[in-house]
């Protein structure tokens, strides 16, 4: 038993060292060397060479050019092999299912999309997955699936927008793709992607995703906050308007935040509208929309003041389709938050996310990469 325990410990240590070495190669952007990895990790040159030999054999790392000379023999640089392995990233929304093949550096290799006949149809997700598998000849390392709902391991515990309850997507994709499937809430995915590409707000921030629904994610001290039941950030169905005239929500309650500040609500569009097919900026400039946007911004700012004060997280990143609403919406948020800043709490700062619009598949892919190999794309 002691020998078994010792072997298990040695295996765990080697796995951690492999992860550290791979992360340094990934973060090095083609400039890492065996010597630099040994210095950063404190491992011996022989150990580093053994670790990298394994990563090269697995097709994750390749040798690059010779590094600049520092007086001795020029070292060989190391970089991620972008061709042998890929990630699949799928974004599920009520009116659209999109997918992409990404290389291990985050570059998009191929994209597909499908408009479902019925929101939440598993058949459409399976169809998109088959098309993605057919689009690549590389080994699929992992799959990340981004959904508007509560992700808990292989299950989507609940998604009001999709009409799901305890749906096992991993099981539904069995036989279609031979790779681990990792589910992630849409706001969490967007927050991970934004955090990996911008250090503007540091290690403590709220990410609020506004599209057909409303969700939030919290990064505290650099780590994503999950919550006791993986429900941290599920603010869309918290009532903010009260009385019989409050709008009826798809969840069955009245006056939910989602009914006031989702982009579909701000623009007066029907539930489940495919926002990719709508000129959000043009609609936001109309008179009726501007009134709804101003009112929604006031409601959202007050809700976020409470959340920010409770968590001591003063920085707010607005993602999803929100950046298409333009300067007026974020201006209303800043003004309202400034008027009602909570005493003893830091004032809220706001900015729009860029990554969700420019590289929408990055978040789910990064979640899959982190869950499978333990590494992340660095800033």
């Amino acid at each position: 038993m002691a020998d078994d325990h010792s072997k298990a410990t040695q295996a765990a240590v080697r796995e951690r060292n492999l992860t550290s070495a791979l992360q340094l190669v990934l973060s090095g952007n083609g400039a890492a060397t065996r010597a630099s990895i040994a210095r950063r990790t404190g491992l011996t040159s022989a150990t580093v060479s053994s670790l990298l030999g394994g990563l090269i054999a697995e097709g994750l790392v390749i040798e690059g050019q010779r590094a600049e000379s520092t007086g001795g023999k020029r070292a060989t640089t190391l970089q991620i092999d972008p061709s042998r392995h890929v990630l699949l990233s799928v974004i599920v929304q009520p009116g659209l299912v999109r997918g992409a093949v990404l290389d291990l550096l985050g570059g998009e290799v191929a994209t597909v999309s499908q408009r479902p006949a019925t929101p939440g149809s598993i058949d459409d997700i399976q169809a998109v997955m088959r098309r993605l598998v057919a689009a690549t000849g590389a080994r699929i390392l992992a799959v990340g699936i981004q959904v508007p709902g509560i992700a808990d391991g292989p299950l989507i515990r609940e998604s009001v927008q999709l009409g799901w309850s305890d749906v096992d997507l991993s099981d539904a994709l069995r036989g279609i793709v031979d790779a681990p499937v990792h589910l992630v809430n849409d706001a969490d995915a967007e927050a991970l992607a934004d955090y990996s590409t911008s250090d503007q707000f540091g290690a403590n921030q709220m990410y609020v995703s506004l599209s057909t629904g409303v969700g939030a994610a919290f990064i505290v001290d650099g780590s994503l906050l999950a919550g006791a039941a993986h429900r941290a950030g599920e603010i869309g169905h918290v009532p903010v308007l009260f009385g019989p005239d409050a709008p009826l929500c798809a969840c069955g309650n009245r006056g939910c935040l989602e009914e006031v500040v989702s982009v579909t609500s701000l623009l007066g569009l029907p539930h489940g509208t495919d926002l990719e097919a709508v000129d959000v900026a043009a609609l936001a400039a109309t008179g009726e929309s501007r009134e709804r946007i101003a009112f929604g911004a006031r409601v959202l700012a007050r809700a976020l003041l409470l959340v920010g004060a409770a968590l001591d997280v003063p920085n707010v990143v607005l993602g999803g389709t929100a950046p298409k609403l333009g300067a007026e919406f974020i201006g209303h948020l800043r003004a309202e938050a400034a008027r009602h800043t909570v005493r003893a709490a830091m004032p809220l700062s706001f900015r729009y996310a860029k990554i969700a619009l420019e590289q929408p598949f990055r978040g789910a892919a990064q979640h899959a990469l982190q869950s499978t190999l333990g590494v992340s794309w660095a800033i």
Side-chain angles (χ1 to χ4, degrees):
M1 292 293 292
D3 287 344
D4 290 344
H5 178 72
S6 177
K7 289 179 180 177
T9 300
Q10 290 175 9
V13 170
R14 181 173 175 80
E15 191 67 29
R16 285 197 298 271
N17 290 338
L18 276 169
T19 299
S20 297
L22 184 60
Q23 181 65 69
L24 288 171
V25 174
L26 182 61
S27 304
N29 297 316
T33 64
R34 289 170 174 81
S36 69
I37 292 172
R39 287 194 300 271
R40 294 284 299 275
T41 60
L43 299 171
T44 66
S45 297
T47 298
V48 169
S49 291
S50 174
L51 294 171
L52 290 168
L55 293 172
I56 290 170
E58 290 179 26
L60 294 170
V61 172
I62 55 175
E63 293 185 326
Q65 304 297 318
R66 293 283 186 179
E68 291 186 10
S69 175
T70 56
K73 181 180 177 182
R74 293 168 63 194
T76 302
T77 59
L78 300 154
Q79 59 192 51
I80 295 296
D81 186 344
S83 62
R84 302 239 334 241
H85 298 80
V86 294
L87 302 163
L88 303 187
S89 177
V90 177
I91 301 174
V92 183
Q93 296 171 302
L96 185 66
V97 180
R98 297 179 283 167
V101 180
L102 289 85
D103 63 34
L104 294 192
L105 295 176
E108 291 181 11
V109 177
T111 61
V112 302
S113 65
Q114 184 156 321
R115 301 191 187 282
T118 304
S121 169
I122 301 297
D123 291 343
D124 292 299
I125 299 170
Q126 292 171 327
V128 165
M129 190 62 66
R130 289 189 184 97
R131 292 168 64 189
L132 290 174
V133 172
T136 180
R139 182 192 169 208
I140 299 169
L141 184 70
V143 180
I145 302 182
Q146 174 179 327
V147 294
I150 300 162
D152 182 4
L155 299 177
I156 301 300
R157 288 295 182 191
E158 183 181 13
S159 175
V160 173
Q161 291 186 58
L162 300 173
W164 289 355
S165 179
D166 290 333
V167 172
D168 190 335
L169 272 188
S170 296
D171 186 63
L173 298 175
R174 202 179 309 279
I176 297 176
V177 59
D178 184 22
V181 176
H182 300 284
L183 311 180
V184 61
N185 168 267
D186 52 1
D188 287 350
E190 291 178 28
L192 287 170
D194 183 82
Y195 184 62
S196 75
T197 56
S198 173
D199 59 358
Q200 183 177 346
F201 273 175
N204 294 279
Q205 54 188 267
M206 283 187 267
Y207 189 98
V208 181
S209 180
L210 308 179
S211 291
T212 55
V214 176
F218 308 106
I219 292 177
V220 179
D221 295 334
S223 297
L224 194 65
L225 184 66
H230 302 276
R231 294 172 182 263
E234 288 296 313
I235 62 174
H237 297 285
V238 174
V240 292
L241 299 180
F242 304 93
D245 295 330
L248 181 65
C249 182
C251 73
N253 290 327
R254 288 188 177 275
C256 292
L257 186 65
E258 186 170 293
E259 284 299 308
V260 183
V261 303
S262 67
V263 172
T264 46
S265 296
L266 292 174
L267 300 181
L269 298 171
H271 285 288
T273 296
D274 174 12
L275 292 174
E276 294 296 314
V278 172
D279 188 341
V280 171
L283 283 176
T286 64
E288 288 187 6
S289 291
R290 291 182 70 186
E291 290 182 13
R292 283 190 296 264
I293 285 170
F295 177 73
R298 291 196 297 272
V299 172
L300 180 60
R302 295 176 189 182
L304 295 181
L305 281 168
L306 178 60
V307 178
L311 294 178
D312 192 20
V313 177
N315 300 309
V316 182
V317 182
L318 299 164
T321 314
K324 294 182 179 180
L325 295 172
E328 190 167 355
F329 177 66
I330 200 168
H332 285 310
L333 280 169
R334 287 172 174 147
E336 187 69 14
R339 274 196 294 270
H340 299 284
T341 295
V342 181
R343 287 189 179 184
M346 291 181 67
L348 294 184
S349 297
F350 295 88
R351 70 170 172 85
Y352 278 135
K354 293 182 180 180
I355 195 69
L357 295 179
E358 296 171 356
Q359 295 177 273
F361 299 103
R362 189 180 177 96
Q366 170 151 299
H367 175 67
L369 181 66
Q370 175 75 46
S371 300
T372 305
L373 294 182
V375 297
S376 300
W377 291 310
I379 295 170

